[in-house]
Amino acid sequence: MMAGGNARYVRYIAIAIFTLALFYFVSNSKYDAAAIRAGITKAGGSTQTETQQPPTDGSSGDTKQPPQQKPPQQKPPVKNNKDGEISTTKKPPAGDAKEYPLALSPEDPKWDVDLVGIAPGPRMNATFVSLARNSDVWDIARSIRQVEDRFNRRYNYDWVFLNDKPFDATFKKVTSSLVSGNTYYGEIPKEHWSFPEWIDQEKAKKVREDMAERNIIYGDSISYRHMCRFESGFFFRQPLMLNYEYYWRVEPSIELYCDIHYDPFRVMAETGKKYSFVLSLYEYVETIKTLWDSTKKFMKNHPEHIAEDNSMGFLSDDNGDSYNHCHFWSNFEIGNLDWLRSKPYMDYFESLDQDGGFFYERWGDAPVHSIAAGLLLNKSEIHFFNDIAYWHVPFTHCPTGEKTRLALQCHCNPKENFDWKGYSCTSRFFDINGIAKPEGYENQQD
């Protein structure tokens, strides 16, 4: 009896030990599984952390709570971002500018590194920004794919989308699925997308009717005028944009023809550039008849804002008496937001806005940005990106120089390059800055 009892006790103890061991193993396996799920590695090396994704309502696509902030190394906390959504989170990039010098040409070290995975080196406080409607979803999706495939899949910069109406669930789901950085969605306040109180509505209406009769493009459009005024004076003051120092404007239905081997935001920051372009041309005269008169009034009232080494030679053939209508095409631009928010630029915009030409004529944001950059910045602060190949109907910028095009794996036709045609102003930009034109430009003239 005693022997049988001891045997039972031994069995009970063995079962207890086995049960405790099993419980311990299962418990630790759960935590390990959770850790693995929280660090799933996506293609390209990014890490998607489930616990940092705000829960979404599958029917609407709207976030239930604000997105998690990025680490401070990447950008400051988002302000007033009630509609923002995070598409994925990233580890802060390693290293600094000295460790990872920019490779701007095939002759530079590390030019031939594989354009796969996350690029090493620092990131600037920068974002892409797109003004789009819900109906533009598939056109902007095309643009996003172009930008991501040629550049941003290695750098993971944010993307801000702005609309004068709320973005719908489809727009958010499609765009956030394509972007490798964070996505944010902002609704433009009515006061930034409407007639200011000092505009004579009847006078503005007659202008639109007259332009419609003369078949001036967008001449009768109210929304186009709101867009031009918004891009001229308000996009950089939206709450979401206040988090950034640099922007890259992307329109629906654009194309990038070449790989981008380096970070253009770093070029802007490290070389002191404030504004950049890839295409320039002459503006439609009938849309800006009094723009230069308003500009001359501003120059007279604010001589302190005019840069000493400005680009008047790009804008005028007679030292400022008249405007030659040259402008940078602003549907592509990379620029410094702090400059746009500066007193010189804001004084210029406010002066133009009070004159009413956005509605009494049809002033575009392209000549406004261009004149401002030409007068308020030194020539050295404006940059031409020859190696960013770009198309927006109807013009193409295809890098000049076969060696450059082959090195960048471009698929554009150099015969379609607009840079050196008679209606382009890019040659003038090279001349006033004393820059040698790229080899082979003669073959792309008219």
Side-chain angles (χ1 to χ4, degrees), residues 49-109:
T49 306
E50 290 187 350
T51 56
Q52 292 184 356
Q53 294 286 358
T56 60
D57 178 346
S59 63
S60 68
D62 292 334
T63 57
K64 296 286 189 180
Q65 64 185 47
Q68 297 290 319
Q69 296 174 2
K70 279 187 171 182
Q73 301 97 312
Q74 291 183 283
K75 77 177 185 66
V78 175
K79 304 171 185 175
N80 302 326
N81 182 23
K82 67 176 182 177
D83 292 322
E85 293 181 359
I86 294 181
S87 60
T88 183
T89 57
K90 297 287 180 295
K91 292 180 180 180
D96 58 24
K98 292 182 180 179
E99 292 182 74
Y100 300 96
L102 286 165
L104 302 179
S105 73
E107 289 74 31
D108 293 334

Side-chain angles (χ1 to χ4, degrees), residues 11 18 51 82 94 120 128-129 143 160 167 227 307 324 329 331 334 370 395 412 433 444:
R11 285 198 300 271
F18 177 79
T51 56
K82 67 176 182 177
F128 295 96
V129 59
S143 300
V160 172
F167 282 108
M227 181 275 291
N324 61 22
W329 220 25
N331 49 64
I334 302 174
S370 302
F395 299 116
C412 54
N433 285 280
Q444 297 177 1

Side-chain angles (χ1 to χ4, degrees), residues 178-210:
L178 296 171
V179 171
S180 61
N182 296 344
T183 55
Y184 300 103
Y185 304 87
E187 184 176 352
I188 300 166
K190 185 177 180 180
E191 59 269 25
H192 294 173
W193 196 274
S194 58
F195 292 96
E197 60 183 9
W198 56 86
I199 294 298
D200 183 331
Q201 293 285 348
E202 189 60 30
K203 178 179 177 181
K205 180 181 177 182
K206 290 180 179 179
V207 167
R208 296 194 301 272
E209 292 171 347
D210 174 65

Side-chain angles (χ1 to χ4, degrees), residues 275 277 280 311 313-314 328 379 382-385 425-435:
Y275 190 84
F277 72 102
S280 68
S311 300
F314 179 77
F328 308 120
K379 287 187 291 188
I382 303 174
H383 184 67
F384 170 66
F385 280 107
C425 293
T426 299
S427 184
R428 181 186 298 270
F429 176 82
F430 273 67
D431 290 341
I432 69 161
N433 285 280
I435 304 172

Side-chain angles (χ1 to χ4, degrees), residues 386 397-402 404-405 417 419-420 438-441 444:
N386 179 55
H397 164 64
C398 187
T400 303
E402 183 180 55
T404 298
R405 292 193 300 273
N417 183 29
D419 296 349
W420 315 112
E439 183 179 351
Y441 85 93
Q444 297 177 1

Side-chain angles (χ1 to χ4, degrees), residues 31 114 135 202 242 265 310 317 338 342 382 390 408 429:
Y31 290 119
D114 290 335
S135 58
E202 189 60 30
L242 295 177
F265 291 124
N310 60 57
D317 299 333
D338 290 338
S342 69
I382 303 174
Y390 175 81
L408 296 173
F429 176 82

Side-chain angles (χ1 to χ4, degrees), residues 275-337:
Y275 190 84
S276 66
F277 72 102
V278 295
L279 283 164
S280 68
L281 64 156
Y282 294 93
E283 179 62 302
Y284 191 3
V285 178
E286 293 299 311
T287 65
I288 54 166
K289 285 185 175 181
T290 65
L291 176 58
W292 194 250
D293 291 334
S294 291
T295 298
K296 289 199 291 185
K297 181 179 70 173
F298 164 79
M299 288 191 287
K300 181 178 179 180
N301 292 337
H302 293 282
E304 73 279 9
H305 291 335
I306 308 305
E308 183 175 350
D309 186 26
N310 60 57
S311 300
M312 180 65 83
F314 179 77
L315 303 170
S316 176
D317 299 333
D318 51 22
N319 200 33
D321 187 49
S322 63
Y323 179 33
N324 61 22
H325 307 113
C326 276
H327 69 285
F328 308 120
W329 220 25
S330 62
N331 49 64
F332 171 98
E333 56 186 11
I334 302 174
N336 182 282
L337 290 160

Side-chain angles (χ1 to χ4, degrees), residues 154-294:
R154 299 184 64 232
Y155 291 89
N156 313 137
Y157 279 108
D158 293 351
W159 211 298
V160 172
F161 299 95
L162 301 173
N163 188 355
D164 64 314
K165 301 290 191 299
F167 282 108
D168 60 27
T170 297
F171 189 98
K172 290 182 178 182
K173 289 176 182 177
V174 170
T175 54
S176 63
S177 73
L178 296 171
V179 171
S180 61
N182 296 344
T183 55
Y184 300 103
Y185 304 87
E187 184 176 352
I188 300 166
K190 185 177 180 180
E191 59 269 25
H192 294 173
W193 196 274
S194 58
F195 292 96
E197 60 183 9
W198 56 86
I199 294 298
D200 183 331
Q201 293 285 348
E202 189 60 30
K203 178 179 177 181
K205 180 181 177 182
K206 290 180 179 179
V207 167
R208 296 194 301 272
E209 292 171 347
D210 174 65
M211 285 191 170
E213 290 180 3
R214 291 187 288 141
N215 295 316
I216 294 176
I217 186 170
Y218 303 119
D220 61 343
S221 175
I222 295 176
S223 63
Y224 189 84
R225 286 173 167 82
H226 289 326
M227 181 275 291
C228 291
R229 180 173 179 258
F230 174 78
E231 294 283 20
S232 295
F234 296 102
F235 88 90
F236 48 87
R237 291 190 275 172
Q238 299 306 293
L240 291 174
M241 296 301 292
L242 295 177
N243 295 300
Y244 301 97
E245 185 178 358
Y246 294 94
Y247 73 99
W248 181 333
R249 178 170 163 182
V250 179
E251 298 275 314
S253 298
I254 61 100
E255 186 160 2
L256 295 182
Y257 290 111
C258 305
D259 288 338
I260 300 173
H261 278 239
Y262 60 84
D263 185 349
F265 291 124
R266 273 189 67 189
V267 171
M268 299 293 288
E270 294 179 9
T271 60
K273 306 297 183 182
K274 301 291 181 63
Y275 190 84
S276 66
F277 72 102
V278 295
L279 283 164
S280 68
L281 64 156
Y282 294 93
E283 179 62 302
Y284 191 3
V285 178
E286 293 299 311
T287 65
I288 54 166
K289 285 185 175 181
T290 65
L291 176 58
W292 194 250
D293 291 334
S294 291

